[in-house]
Amino acid sequence: MGKNKLQKFDDMDSYPHVFQYPFSTLKTEGFAMKGKWNAEFFRNDNPIVLELGCGKGEYAVGLAGKYPDKNFIGVDIKGARMWTGAKESYQAGMKNIAFLRTHIELITYFFAPGEIAEIWITFPDPQMKKVRKRLTSTRFMSLYREILKPEGIIHLKSDSNFLFTYTCEMVKANRYPVRVQTDDLYHSGLNDDILGIKTFYEQQWLERGLTIKYISFVCEEREQLVEPEVEIEYDNYRSFNRSRRSGRQNSEKEQ
């Protein structure tokens, strides 16, 4: 591990709003603050909003600054990235934000039923070949439903037409009420302060001429969830600093 990463991990260990728990500890001891985030950490009754796969934490920090009447928690396993948002919010003295370093599959270890009001999923890997790994798959919907309030809201922002289409079809198949849906967010006419927050990757997608997709829906309780039965064309471009998204060979070279 690089010296710079080690320094970042040391920094985060000293931040009171960063929580890092290995799975072995969770299995044996659990997480003492589960169900008590409002009472013991934020010390208020404001709604709690998660940013899953938060990366550098741009959305969590940006939203926390815009909405002091809500509490925000950025969740990611990549500590070196998370350090950016953790440091910025710590130095700014922000009291309505925290960061949780863990795998998203483990979120039910950290939050009690009904403890979360909203979930933001910002530019995740579309996982075109692995349905179970998609953060908007029914597998993850079941996990989210365990911790969301009855009218809990899920937001997805993505550059990926594949993931956006899949998510829209999943929402339709499970009859989730849609609040907003657009395949070109910044030409949709939506007037929302949230649109002013852009992640590191989002800036690059926009500069590249790609459109940003957005859907917001209510994740209601369902007796049984079903995966959409639809074929979706793969994205045919490379992501920045990630492996090729398309499962097909593409002979075109990156510009």
Side-chain angles (χ1 to χ4, degrees), residues 40-56:
E40 296 189 1
F41 180 77
F42 294 113
R43 300 187 184 282
N44 59 49
D45 294 325
N46 295 336
I48 298 176
V49 182
L50 302 185
E51 183 193 3
L52 301 182
C54 69
K56 296 174 183 290

Side-chain angles (χ1 to χ4, degrees), residues 2-253:
K3 187 176 181 180
N4 190 40
K5 282 190 176 182
L6 290 174
Q7 180 61 52
K8 289 178 178 179
F9 289 147
D10 287 343
D11 280 351
M12 287 206 302
D13 280 339
S14 69
Y15 294 161
H17 67 322
V18 177
F19 300 87
Q20 305 182 77
Y21 279 76
F23 183 59
S24 57
T25 302
L26 286 175
K27 285 193 70 175
T28 57
E29 303 176 18
F31 182 64
M33 208 159 60
K34 178 177 179 178
K36 304 173 184 176
W37 282 91
N38 282 110
E40 296 189 1
F41 180 77
F42 294 113
R43 300 187 184 282
N44 59 49
D45 294 325
N46 295 336
I48 298 176
V49 182
L50 302 185
E51 183 193 3
L52 301 182
C54 69
K56 296 174 183 290
E58 297 103 322
Y59 248 82
V61 174
L63 290 171
K66 287 180 177 292
Y67 299 99
D69 57 342
K70 293 183 179 181
N71 302 313
F72 297 87
I73 303 174
V75 182
D76 208 311
I77 193 60
K78 301 287 187 180
R81 295 178 185 173
M82 181 185 290
W83 171 84
T84 301
K87 180 180 180 181
E88 179 183 346
S89 55
Y90 178 69
Q91 291 182 335
M94 300 175 75
K95 302 299 183 183
N96 64 328
I97 188 169
F99 288 89
L100 176 62
R101 186 175 175 230
T102 189
H103 290 285
I104 294 172
E105 292 89 335
L106 302 179
I107 57 172
T108 55
Y109 283 86
F110 294 93
F111 303 102
E115 194 166 17
I116 303 303
E118 298 180 46
I119 291 175
W120 277 86
I121 306 170
T122 51
F123 300 93
D125 189 318
Q127 296 288 351
M128 290 184 287
K129 287 187 173 182
K130 301 175 182 177
V131 177
R132 284 179 56 79
K133 289 193 174 183
R134 292 175 203 156
L135 293 187
T136 56
S137 68
T138 55
R139 173 200 178 198
F140 280 97
M141 288 299 127
S142 295
L143 292 176
Y144 305 154
R145 185 60 266 159
E146 287 188 44
I147 63 175
L148 279 168
K149 293 183 180 300
E151 296 299 314
I153 298 169
I154 293 180
H155 308 263
L156 170 72
K157 279 184 78 176
S158 179
D159 58 285
S160 168
N161 186 67
F162 177 91
L163 183 63
F164 177 71
T165 302
Y166 165 81
T167 305
C168 292
E169 292 295 332
M170 183 281 299
V171 166
K172 183 165 62 174
N174 291 286
R175 309 181 318 283
Y176 287 140
V178 175
R179 300 170 73 248
V180 180
Q181 179 177 327
T182 174
D183 61 1
D184 190 355
L185 181 60
Y186 294 105
H187 293 92
S188 65
L190 291 173
N191 184 18
D192 196 320
D193 285 345
I194 291 174
L195 302 186
I197 305 171
K198 296 182 177 66
T199 70
F200 173 76
Y201 284 111
E202 183 174 1
Q203 293 280 10
Q204 297 188 63
W205 299 131
L206 290 170
E207 290 170 5
R208 200 171 177 178
L210 298 174
T211 58
I212 304 303
K213 290 81 173 167
Y214 171 71
I215 184 171
S216 172
F217 59 94
V218 180
C219 186
E220 294 180 337
E221 182 68 48
R222 293 288 181 265
E223 185 174 335
Q224 185 175 358
L225 294 175
V226 295
E227 281 290 327
E229 296 183 4
V230 59
E231 290 189 14
I232 306 171
E233 184 178 358
Y234 284 168
D235 299 330
N236 61 356
Y237 61 92
R238 289 179 184 269
S239 296
F240 293 97
N241 299 322
R242 300 178 191 164
S243 59
R244 185 187 297 268
R245 285 192 172 177
S246 175
R248 302 170 298 182
Q249 294 297 316
N250 190 332
S251 60
E252 294 183 5
K253 292 184 178 179

